[in-house]
Amino acid sequence: MVILGDFNLSTINWQRHESGFLFPTASRSLIDQTSRLLLDAYSTAGLNQMNDVENENNRILDLLFISNELRGSCSVMQAPSPLIKIMQLIYLELPLHNFHEPPESISYDFYKANFNGMNAFLAQVDWDTALRDSDVNLAASTMSNILLYAIDQFVPVRSTPEPVKLAWSNAHLKNLKRVKRAALRQHCKYRTDSTKASYIKANSDYQQLNDHLYNAFQNRLQSRLRNNPKSFWRYVNEQRKESGLPSTMTDFLAEAQTTNNIANLFRTQFSSVFTNEYLDPQYVVIATRNVPSLPAARQPLVITNDSIIAASKKLKSSTGCGPDGIPSVVIKRCAESLVRPLTAVFNLSLTSGVFPVCWKQSYVFPVFKKGCKRTVSNYRGIAALCAVSKLFELIVPLHYISNDQHGFMPKRSTTTNLACFTSFVIRQIEYGHQVDAIYTDLSAAFDKINHQIAVAKFDKLGINNALLSWL
């Protein structure tokens, strides 16, 4: 790394060290607060000053900071003559490197996808032949590969991110912005009074119109407070919330600043709370003693085309891809063309009792709970599943789940749970009965549940092994 410029630290006297770099002489330098902050910042970043070429006033004002990897491979020398009378030219010799342009991040623009062409292509696929294998893992992988091929054929590629659009912008403001940029390029090229005046006028015109449109936009938002308060407060919350993770994270033992190190801290934290110890069978029997024994379902669960169509309508039209590279918007928009392969693979999974490995993969990302945002223990891990596995989850036979379950159920929450509980308590009081309630809050409950006990309880409730493959 190389950072150079006219820093104008005239009160600092630089002296060369045996390492080859220059450091301030404490006895001959006057270091104020601004200079101290600057030097501390470059020292923390591992950069050192190496320019010792003085100007005509015998001062070193043009500083050159380099990183340690360039030490010994570059040098500074004074030019034979200054570029102009008041400007001293310095030559910097650097080692030659083969620089490569960083690869562009390629992403699909699903908003411009040709879903009609994709549906026509998927409808012509011979799914019976493609999914004739009895191995559910191979069948699911084949279906995913065909879908990925269709996405590659009918979804355009977006190589550059779209610019951020101002909510109050219009065509006139965009045109003024282009005029302002063109005037700035002209002034940077010629540096004349006329080009400077043109840029100042273009910038003033842009700022005036931008301020006018922004104030009008704010007035419209405020007028919505009475008619649509949710929209207003949603905007307010978006403006004041902090997005992303802090630049530095810690687990009290180590501190991480880079992306990889922060990810490793979260990986260590999330894996540390997971426990699944082996229990002796006698303890499993004791743990399931109070679970009622119900007969297994007489009729095996069979997923139909209608159930898949109905479930696909409940999917969000999200363009975010899971680990398999298939977003839910593709499943939703191509449900009619995919109903046959989805039905075949889902039923094969249920009958074989095997959940496809490719659908078990997920993206885990941290969600802040409470406390200090720099502490990884104050986050919980959320797994983003593949869109197909989400669809499979929506077809869960709800009659296997107790009607008293309110957590992780659609249209249910702590509010509905409290309403049902309050109603129950009032009825019992009217009957003259006593009500005892116990509330528990388990830390990382899903990470600490014992799988042996969970499977044994499902077995007593009559849920067969095929359903256990994905529960």
Side-chain angles (χ1 to χ4, degrees), residues 186-232:
Q186 287 292 104
H187 179 58
C188 292
K189 183 177 181 180
Y190 296 106
R191 295 284 182 178
T192 63
D193 292 339
S194 61
T195 57
K196 181 178 180 180
S198 299
Y199 170 70
I200 292 176
K201 183 181 184 306
N203 184 60
S204 177
D205 294 342
Y206 173 80
Q207 290 297 337
Q208 289 181 7
L209 181 58
N210 183 70
D211 294 341
H212 173 73
L213 295 176
Y214 178 74
N215 292 331
F217 173 71
Q218 293 282 19
N219 292 333
R220 290 195 300 271
L221 285 177
Q222 294 176 14
S223 65
R224 296 177 190 171
L225 178 59
R226 184 173 181 177
N227 299 328
N228 189 4
K230 287 186 177 180
S231 174
F232 175 82

Side-chain angles (χ1 to χ4, degrees), residues 32-85:
D32 56 12
Q33 181 65 19
T34 302
S35 301
R36 183 179 295 105
L37 292 175
L38 176 66
L39 297 175
D40 288 345
Y42 284 118
S43 178
T44 303
L47 301 176
N48 293 282
Q49 209 280 110
M50 67 171 299
N51 178 36
D52 58 353
V53 178
E54 298 178 345
N55 61 11
E56 59 183 6
N57 296 322
N58 298 322
R59 292 179 179 177
I60 302 176
L61 303 182
D62 300 315
L63 305 184
L64 172 62
F65 295 91
I66 67 170
S67 52
N68 289 328
E69 62 267 18
L70 294 177
R71 178 180 177 181
S73 60
C74 61
S75 60
V76 176
M77 63 180 180
Q78 187 173 359
S81 60
L83 186 62
I84 57 177
K85 184 176 181 180

